[in-house]
């Protein structure tokens, strides 16, 4: 898998971090405490947790040690699988964890205790959640780093969340960090999954084109394997079928995430990202 790098240098970056009175936090209604402020994030960790609550209950000490040793500035998590706040039948609050029932309160307490313990207490957390225990993302940013803006949709609207909590976008002075959990392409067009993925890829391409003024760090579960080297048996995955079903369009055939159509669209996004070396891009 190709990756494109360029060091981001900023005048005075070696100076001792200081308070920034004009940047009191992200423009999403969250008040961040006064702490020593670093300039920009430099180290990133991305992880598909496949149920963050399950990870907390099973192997949290190992992950905590890993984070302590790596000491990332930003942690991007996908598939948190925690429901958004809001009672049954009421509008949901995708930026908040559900706690209106006894089980949901207990689960929230377990999760927040884990995120308050070292080293996670050093991070501010933003959530983008689905209505149920499905999909969802989280972004943890060190408290000494203050994004100018945190939004939850590809159009950059602060108050709007993508369906299923699939996007968190943090903007800093010199770069943007995009955390995404891409929808799976699925096996059959009749289930509208092909159309959903096509729309997602189109919107991502538009986002990249419109965001070319700053370097982009794109983290997440992108649900695509771009090249043959990214899978163990490319010929097998290219010919894979579900119950013998063959899509009408040959480019939609194969294992979801490795169809020719998905790979071409992903390649188009990468090509747009690296046209100019003055606007470097990294994905992972």
């Amino acid at each position: 898998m190709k990756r494109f790098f360029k060091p981001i240098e900023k005048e005075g970056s070696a100076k001792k971090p200081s308070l920034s009175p004009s940047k009191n936090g992200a423009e999403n209604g969250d008040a961040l405490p006064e702490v020593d402020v670093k300039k920009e994030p430099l180290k990133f960790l991305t992880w598909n947790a496949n149920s963050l609550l399950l990870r907390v209950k099973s192997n949290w000490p190992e992950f905590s040690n890993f984070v302590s040793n790596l000491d990332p500035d930003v942690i991007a998590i996908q598939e948190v699988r925690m429901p958004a706040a809001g009672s049954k039948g009421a509008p949901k609050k995708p930026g908040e964890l559900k706690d209106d029932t006894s089980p949901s309160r207990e689960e929230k307490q377990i999760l927040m205790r884990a995120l308050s313990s070292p080293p996670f207490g050093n991070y501010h957390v933003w959530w983008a959640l689905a209505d149920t225990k499905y999909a969802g993302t989280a972004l943890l940013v060190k408290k000494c780093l203050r994004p100018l803006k945190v939004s939850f949709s590809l159009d950059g609207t602060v108050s709007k969340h993508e369906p299923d909590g699939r996007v968190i976008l943090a903007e800093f002075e010199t770069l943007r960090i995009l955390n995404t959990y891409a929808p799976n392409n699925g096996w059959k067009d009749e289930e509208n999954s092909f159309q959903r993925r096509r729309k997602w890829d189109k919107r991502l391409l538009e986002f990249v084109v419109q965001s070319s003024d700053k370097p982009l760090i794109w983290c997440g579960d992108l649900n695509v394997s771009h090249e043959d080297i990214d899978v163990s048996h490319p010929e097998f995955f290219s010919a894979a079928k579900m119950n013998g079903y063959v899509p009408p369009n040959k480019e939609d055939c194969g294992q979801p995430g490795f169809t020719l159509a998905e790979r071409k669209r992903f390649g188009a996004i990468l090509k747009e990202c690296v046209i100019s070396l003055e606007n470097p891009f990294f994905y992972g």
Side-chain angles (χ1 to χ4, degrees):
M1 184 175 286
K2 295 180 180 177
R3 280 152 172 80
F4 304 85
F5 299 92
K6 183 180 178 181
I8 299 171
E9 298 178 357
K10 184 174 175 61
E11 186 178 353
S13 60
K15 295 179 181 179
K16 183 179 179 180
S18 59
L19 287 175
S20 177
S22 61
K23 302 286 191 303
N24 290 324
E27 297 175 0
N28 66 339
D30 290 321
L32 301 184
E34 290 295 327
V35 292
D36 286 345
V37 179
K38 281 173 65 177
K39 289 292 184 181
E40 303 282 69
L42 296 174
K43 189 182 292 187
F44 309 89
L45 169 65
T46 181
W47 181 38
N48 182 315
N50 193 15
S51 176
L52 188 56
L53 183 64
L54 182 60
R55 303 303 154 219
V56 168
K57 291 180 176 180
S58 58
N59 54 0
W60 199 244
E62 290 89 342
F63 183 61
S64 298
N65 290 335
F66 177 76
V67 171
S68 294
N69 293 329
L70 183 63
D71 192 30
D73 295 323
V74 175
I75 305 172
I77 303 176
Q78 307 85 42
E79 262 197 293
V80 296
R81 293 194 179 186
M82 291 294 291
S87 56
K88 188 175 181 179
K92 304 298 187 225
K93 299 177 181 178
E96 301 176 20
L97 294 166
K98 182 179 177 65
D99 63 357
D100 62 318
T101 64
S102 180
S104 65
R105 278 193 296 273
E106 181 180 351
E107 290 177 347
K108 179 180 178 179
Q109 288 172 359
I110 292 171
L111 193 56
M112 296 314 295
R113 275 198 299 268
L115 293 175
S116 299
S117 63
F120 304 100
N122 297 325
Y123 294 83
H124 186 84
V125 186
W126 284 270
W127 302 98
L129 305 170
D131 292 352
T132 60
K133 288 185 176 181
Y134 172 72
T137 52
L139 190 71
L140 286 69
V141 179
K142 277 189 175 178
K143 291 176 180 177
C144 59
L145 296 163
R146 294 190 177 171
L148 305 176
K149 177 182 177 182
V150 176
S151 50
F152 306 91
S153 65
L154 291 174
D155 61 14
T157 305
V158 173
S159 59
K160 177 184 175 183
H161 282 245
E162 291 288 336
D164 302 326
R166 292 186 179 275
V167 170
I168 303 181
L169 174 65
E171 181 172 353
F172 292 83
E173 236 178 278
T174 62
L175 57 87
R176 293 183 179 90
I177 300 170
L178 177 64
N179 179 22
T180 65
Y181 176 43
N184 190 286
N185 188 67
W187 292 93
K188 294 186 177 183
D189 202 12
E190 289 89 340
E191 298 169 356
N192 294 322
S193 58
F194 290 2
Q195 182 180 354
R196 179 179 67 164
R197 183 56 189 256
R198 289 189 199 105
K199 184 178 179 181
W200 170 269
D201 290 339
K202 181 176 182 291
R203 293 183 63 219
L204 260 172
L205 179 59
E206 292 170 350
F207 166 81
V208 167
V209 171
Q210 294 165 6
S211 304
S212 59
D213 58 316
K214 291 184 180 182
L216 175 66
I217 310 295
W218 183 12
C219 304
D221 182 342
L222 310 185
N223 253 327
V224 64
S225 297
H226 183 215
E227 299 179 348
D228 285 358
I229 196 173
D230 297 322
V231 297
S232 58
H233 298 82
E235 292 184 2
F236 171 81
F237 288 118
S238 295
K241 301 176 184 178
M242 172 65 79
N243 298 326
Y245 175 76
V246 178
N249 185 344
K250 292 180 67 174
E251 291 193 350
D252 290 323
C253 294
Q255 174 75 31
F258 197 64
T259 66
L260 186 57
E262 292 172 274
R263 296 166 66 189
K264 281 185 175 180
R265 293 195 300 266
F266 188 69
I269 295 171
L270 296 188
K271 183 178 179 181
E272 188 62 45
C273 288
V274 298
I275 285 176
S276 171
L277 290 178
E278 295 305 312
N279 292 302
F281 166 81
F282 166 80
Y283 72 92

